[in-house]
Amino acid sequence: MIQKLLGFDKQTMTIRTEVIAGITTFLTMSYILAVNPSILGTTGMDKGAVFTATALASAIATLLLAFMAKLPFAQAPSMALNAFFAFTLVQGMGYTWQTAMTAMFVEGVIFILITFLNIRELILNSIPMNLRYAISSGIGIFIAFIGLKNAGIIESNPATFVMFGAFTPSSVLAMVGILLSGVLIVKKVKGALFYSILICTLIGIPLGVTEIPEGFLPVSMPHSMEPTFCKFDFSEFFTLDMAVVIFTLLFMNIFDTVGTLVGLASKTGIMGEDGHIPHVKEAMMSDAIGTTIGAMMGSSTITTYVESASGIAEGGRSGFTSLVTGLLFILALFFAPLFLLIPSAATSGALVLVGVFMMDSISKIDMEDMSEALPAFITIIMMVLTYSIADGMVLGLLCYVLIKLFCGKHKDISITMYILAVLFLLKFIFA
């Protein structure tokens, strides 16, 4: 029955190994339980409700993946898309979090449809590889910048826009966290980011950064999701800006999920010579369903986590690994007070290291061909300087189409890219 439901092969796998792998994956990615409420909380969302939504959405998506795809992967809110939600849609574009969550919900529904109809390949294949690498790298730098900004390591300056911040308890704690995260990862400690956050939270107590409320108890019943559950606002939905937002969300989710699935599949040895991944459609469908349900509960877009590689390294090879990870996310619901105690400065190390991980694709960009290198560079730098993942992607795509067109390399541009370029130009003209 386990083999049929979870792809567990008793000839080559053991329950003990799968359980250890599932626990390892959870510890490695559990930092999201602290980081996601911290990031989404900047929009005015209730952190307790977001914590519950994060844990439940992660559990549901990961359990769906376990039974549908039977792969040893885990899913949770994307570190790129929660940043897009909070810092681009809400703080940058001025949408309320309710409107932004509506966009997340609609994107999830569309993702379900295009996964079912196999349209995702058309969208994915229309984007040049160098731009895909640039998008991943740009998001990495953007996430790291957010971590530095939130801790006060980087501050605004009217003359130079940004500068090195003053030494405060928060910034010092964040610096310790960045260094500690790096050391633990170099030492190959399982769950390095989780332990770094935990240690920094403890260090933050004597520094006055970690505030322990009166009558604190580490265990409690799960927080209610009522403040965030189905709080959708469609009043600003039918606009060109919102259409671009939803496409960008969809676009990012497809690349994030597919890229991670390909990388993880290669680590497990299940990917065929032609690049085919068994049950990839089911894996993407669990992602899409998780995103839709998560948006209803009050969580940002779900994606497959590259941290699943830690469980694979421990020998996880079936959906049993994902089952264990999903159940641990459910168990985490009862430890909300501990996770919500963590100050944002303690999560800065995790954000910076996630940025480092995402930077690995920059080495794959073709820097010899300026018609490829310039759009990639524009994508990366404009994400950070405009404080907007969406603007960086749009400007990079426009630069790609225009430079190829003017250099007589129109064959490098797909029909889909032409359509996107026209839509993006219209957005800038009429915005």
Side-chain angles (χ1 to χ4, degrees):
M1 184 178 69
I2 296 175
Q3 182 173 4
K4 184 178 179 181
L5 292 176
L6 299 167
F8 178 83
D9 184 357
K10 64 180 180 181
Q11 302 298 324
T12 59
M13 305 172 189
T14 66
I15 295 290
R16 181 178 181 275
T17 299
E18 297 289 312
V19 170
I20 291 173
I23 294 172
T24 301
T25 296
F26 174 78
L27 286 175
T28 307
M29 64 185 291
S30 59
Y31 66 86
I32 193 62
L33 293 171
V35 174
N36 206 45
S38 176
I39 290 178
L40 298 195
T42 62
T43 68
M45 296 180 72
D46 182 270
K47 288 187 177 181
V50 172
F51 176 87
T52 301
T54 300
L56 268 182
S58 303
I60 291 169
T62 302
L63 292 173
L64 282 173
L65 188 145
F67 290 103
M68 292 171 62
K70 302 173 176 57
L71 295 170
F73 308 156
Q75 298 183 326
S78 164
M79 282 295 295
L81 288 158
N82 59 11
F84 179 77
F85 176 94
F87 303 110
T88 296
L89 294 186
V90 179
Q91 295 183 23
M93 300 178 72
Y95 289 115
T96 63
W97 68 260
Q98 292 90 341
T99 302
M101 196 58 72
T102 304
M104 294 275 180
F105 173 73
V106 173
E107 180 260 334
V109 173
I110 295 173
F111 200 35
I112 290 175
L113 292 175
I114 68 169
T115 302
F116 181 75
L117 298 173
N118 292 322
I119 300 173
R120 67 183 186 276
E121 286 85 1
L122 175 64
I123 299 174
L124 180 65
N125 294 334
S126 70
I127 308 302
M129 287 301 300
N130 283 303
L131 281 185
R132 300 185 207 181
Y133 297 142
I135 289 166
S136 177
S137 300
I139 291 171
I141 298 175
F142 183 70
I143 289 173
F145 182 76
I146 289 168
L148 297 173
K149 169 185 168 292
N150 288 349
I153 295 175
I154 298 295
E155 292 182 346
S156 62
N157 182 296
T160 61
F161 291 102
V162 292
M163 67 176 190
F164 186 61
F167 282 96
T168 64
S170 289
S171 65
V172 170
L173 182 63
M175 292 176 193
V176 170
I178 294 168
L179 183 61
L180 180 61
S181 297
V183 170
L184 293 177
I185 287 172
V186 170
K187 295 290 186 180
K188 301 187 185 302
V189 175
K190 303 299 181 185
L193 298 184
F194 171 78
Y195 289 124
S196 171
I197 291 173
L198 181 61
I199 293 169
C200 285
T201 300
L202 294 174
I203 295 173
I205 296 174
L207 290 176
V209 180
T210 304
E211 298 178 359
I212 301 177
E214 190 175 343
F216 172 78
L217 292 173
V219 182
S220 73
M221 292 300 292
H223 285 257
S224 170
M225 290 188 294
E226 194 279 329
T228 59
F229 188 77
C230 287
K231 302 295 189 204
F232 298 131
D233 180 2
F234 288 89
S235 62
E236 298 182 69
F237 186 72
F238 299 102
T239 63
L240 180 59
D241 265 358
M242 187 55 71
V244 172
V245 164
I246 292 173
F247 176 79
T248 303
L249 284 168
L250 191 66
F251 181 81
M252 291 169 64
N253 200 356
I254 289 173
F255 291 155
D256 202 350
T257 302
V258 172
T260 304
L261 286 173
V262 169
L264 294 175
S266 65
K267 291 181 183 294
T268 59
I270 64 172
M271 187 165 64
E273 293 182 3
D274 59 352
H276 174 71
I277 304 171
H279 305 296
V280 68
K281 182 175 180 179
E282 290 85 350
M284 295 191 76
M285 184 61 81
S286 65
D287 176 320
I289 295 171
T291 290
T292 308
I293 295 174
M296 293 174 66
M297 294 189 292
S299 175
S300 51
T301 301
I302 301 293
T303 191
T304 304
Y305 259 55
V306 71
E307 284 83 355
S308 305
S310 62
I312 293 169
E314 290 293 329
R317 291 294 182 271
S318 75
F320 202 100
T321 296
S322 305
L323 174 67
V324 173
T325 304
L327 292 176
L328 287 173
F329 271 115
I330 293 176
L331 182 63
L333 284 168
F334 299 94
F335 293 90
L338 276 178
F339 285 98
L340 294 175
L341 192 69
I342 297 169
S344 61
T347 65
S348 293
L351 292 175
V352 171
L353 267 293
V354 168
V356 175
F357 295 148
M358 295 183 73
M359 278 290 292
D360 66 346
S361 60
I362 202 168
S363 62
K364 301 173 186 176
I365 297 173
D366 181 7
M367 301 302 293
E368 299 297 323
D369 183 350
M370 187 54 66
S371 68
E372 296 285 343
L374 180 60
F377 177 75
I378 292 296
T379 300
I380 294 170
I381 197 168
M382 293 309 287
M383 279 189 188
V384 182
L385 296 185
T386 63
Y387 208 70
S388 170
I389 294 170
D391 285 344
M393 290 172 63
V394 168
L395 292 169
L397 285 167
L398 281 174
C399 180
Y400 182 89
V401 172
L402 292 174
I403 196 170
K404 291 287 186 180
L405 203 57
F406 294 149
C407 292
K409 298 184 177 183
H410 57 274
K411 290 183 179 179
D412 292 347
I413 311 171
S414 66
I415 296 296
T416 308
M417 285 287 284
Y418 278 119
I419 295 170
L420 293 177
V422 171
L423 289 174
F424 291 151
L425 279 173
L426 290 172
K427 173 189 179 295
F428 283 122
I429 291 169
F430 295 106

